Protein backbone atom coordinates (compact mmCIF):
# COMPACT_ATOMS: atom_id res chain seq x y z
CA UNK A 1 0.00 0.00 0.00
CA UNK A 2 3.03 2.29 0.43
CA UNK A 3 5.33 1.96 -2.59
CA UNK A 4 8.94 2.88 -1.89
CA UNK A 5 11.66 2.92 -4.55
CA UNK A 6 15.34 3.22 -3.67
CA UNK A 7 18.03 4.39 -6.05
CA UNK A 8 21.62 5.57 -6.00
CA UNK A 9 23.45 2.42 -5.00
CA UNK A 10 26.48 1.17 -6.82
CA UNK A 11 30.17 0.38 -6.63
CA UNK A 12 32.50 2.84 -4.94
CA UNK A 13 36.05 2.74 -3.63
CA UNK A 14 36.77 2.95 0.07
CA UNK A 15 36.75 6.57 1.17
CA UNK A 16 34.25 7.54 -1.50
CA UNK A 17 30.68 8.76 -1.26
CA UNK A 18 27.21 7.80 -2.43
CA UNK A 19 23.81 9.40 -2.07
CA UNK A 20 20.82 7.10 -1.82
CA UNK A 21 17.30 8.28 -2.57
CA UNK A 22 13.94 6.79 -1.65
CA UNK A 23 10.89 8.04 -3.50
CA UNK A 24 7.36 7.49 -2.23
CA UNK A 25 4.00 7.96 -3.88
CA UNK A 26 0.91 9.66 -2.51
CA UNK A 27 0.09 12.61 -0.30
CA UNK A 28 0.70 10.91 3.06
CA UNK A 29 4.52 10.88 2.94
CA UNK A 30 4.84 13.84 5.29
CA UNK A 31 3.05 11.84 8.01
CA UNK A 32 5.53 8.95 7.96
CA UNK A 33 8.64 8.33 9.97
CA UNK A 34 11.30 7.01 7.61
CA UNK A 35 14.31 4.78 8.08
CA UNK A 36 17.26 3.35 6.23
CA UNK A 37 18.25 -0.22 7.01
CA UNK A 38 20.97 -2.42 5.63
CA UNK A 39 21.70 -6.12 5.48
CA UNK A 40 25.05 -7.67 4.68
CA UNK A 41 25.43 -11.35 3.74
CA UNK A 42 25.17 -13.57 6.80
CA UNK A 43 24.17 -10.71 9.08
CA UNK A 44 20.92 -9.44 10.56
CA UNK A 45 19.19 -6.44 9.09
CA UNK A 46 20.12 -3.34 11.08
CA UNK A 47 18.83 0.19 11.40
CA UNK A 48 21.29 2.64 9.87
CA UNK A 49 19.47 5.93 10.28
CA UNK A 50 15.97 7.21 10.92
CA UNK A 51 14.15 10.51 10.61
CA UNK A 52 10.83 11.62 12.02
CA UNK A 53 7.94 12.98 10.00
CA UNK A 54 9.12 16.59 10.03
CA UNK A 55 12.84 15.96 9.71
CA UNK A 56 13.56 17.58 13.07
CA UNK A 57 14.46 14.30 14.76
CA UNK A 58 17.21 12.00 13.50
CA UNK A 59 18.92 8.85 14.68
CA UNK A 60 22.15 7.19 13.59
CA UNK A 61 23.81 3.94 14.48
CA UNK A 62 26.85 4.70 16.61
CA UNK A 63 29.30 3.30 14.08
CA UNK A 64 27.96 5.58 11.36
CA UNK A 65 27.81 8.91 13.18
CA UNK A 66 29.79 11.58 11.41
CA UNK A 67 29.83 9.68 8.13
CA UNK A 68 26.16 9.29 7.13
CA UNK A 69 23.43 11.92 6.99
CA UNK A 70 19.71 11.27 6.63
CA UNK A 71 17.42 13.99 5.33
CA UNK A 72 14.01 14.36 3.72
CA UNK A 73 12.19 16.67 1.37
CA UNK A 74 8.49 16.31 2.04
CA UNK A 75 7.64 18.49 -0.94
CA UNK A 76 9.31 15.88 -3.16
CA UNK A 77 8.16 12.80 -1.21
CA UNK A 78 11.79 11.75 -0.93
CA UNK A 79 14.18 10.70 1.82
CA UNK A 80 17.95 10.66 1.31
CA UNK A 81 20.96 8.98 2.83
CA UNK A 82 24.27 10.69 2.17
CA UNK A 83 27.13 8.30 2.78
CA UNK A 84 30.68 9.61 3.09
CA UNK A 85 34.02 8.03 3.95
CA UNK A 86 32.67 4.65 2.97
CA UNK A 87 34.32 1.53 4.29
CA UNK A 88 34.34 -2.04 3.07
CA UNK A 89 32.13 -3.02 6.01
CA UNK A 90 29.42 -0.69 4.67
CA UNK A 91 28.84 -3.12 1.82
CA UNK A 92 25.24 -4.29 2.03
CA UNK A 93 21.80 -4.04 0.51
CA UNK A 94 20.24 -0.82 1.75
CA UNK A 95 16.50 -0.64 2.29
CA UNK A 96 14.18 2.31 2.72
CA UNK A 97 11.30 1.74 5.15
CA UNK A 98 8.25 3.66 6.30
CA UNK A 99 6.54 3.74 9.69
CA UNK A 100 2.96 4.59 8.86
CA UNK A 101 1.30 3.99 12.25
CA UNK A 102 2.48 6.62 14.75
CA UNK A 103 5.25 5.45 17.05
CA UNK A 104 8.81 6.39 17.93
CA UNK A 105 10.88 6.72 14.78
CA UNK A 106 13.61 4.67 16.46
CA UNK A 107 11.22 1.76 17.13
CA UNK A 108 12.46 -0.78 14.62
CA UNK A 109 9.40 -3.04 14.74
CA UNK A 110 7.23 -0.09 13.74
CA UNK A 111 8.63 -0.10 10.21
CA UNK A 112 6.23 -2.23 8.19
CA UNK A 113 6.64 -0.99 4.62
CA UNK A 114 9.80 -1.60 2.63
CA UNK A 115 11.42 -0.76 -0.65
CA UNK A 116 13.09 -3.36 -2.84
CA UNK A 117 16.61 -2.46 -1.72
CA UNK A 118 19.64 -1.07 -3.51
CA UNK A 119 23.09 -2.65 -3.48
CA UNK A 120 26.03 -0.68 -2.13
CA UNK A 121 29.43 -2.24 -2.69
CA UNK A 122 32.57 -0.64 -1.29
CA UNK A 123 35.84 -1.94 -2.70
CA UNK A 124 39.11 -1.84 -0.82
Amino acid sequence: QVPLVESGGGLVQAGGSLRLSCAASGRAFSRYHMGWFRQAPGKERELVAAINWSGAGTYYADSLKGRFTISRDNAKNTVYLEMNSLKAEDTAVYYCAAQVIPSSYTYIAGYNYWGQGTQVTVSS
Side-chain angles (χ1 to χ4, degrees), residues 16-38:
S17 300
L18 285 174
R19 186 192 191 197
L20 306 184
S21 298
C22 174
S25 299
R27 294 179 292 177
F29 177 79
S30 62
R31 307 174 191 166
Y32 304 158
H33 300 326
M34 300 296 296
W36 285 98
F37 293 74
R38 69 183 182 185

Side-chain angles (χ1 to χ4, degrees), residues 41-60:
K43 295 186 177 181
E44 297 290 322
R45 186 173 296 187
E46 63 175 337
L47 177 63
V48 174
I51 189 166
N52 79 334
W53 66 271
S54 71
T58 58
Y59 163 86
Y60 300 95

Side-chain angles (χ1 to χ4, degrees), residues 4 25 37 44 49 60 63 67 74 83 89 92 94 104 121:
L4 303 170
S25 299
F37 293 74
E44 297 290 322
Y60 300 95
S63 63
R67 298 195 297 121
N74 286 345
M83 305 185 294
E89 54 261 45
Y94 284 71
S104 170
T121 302

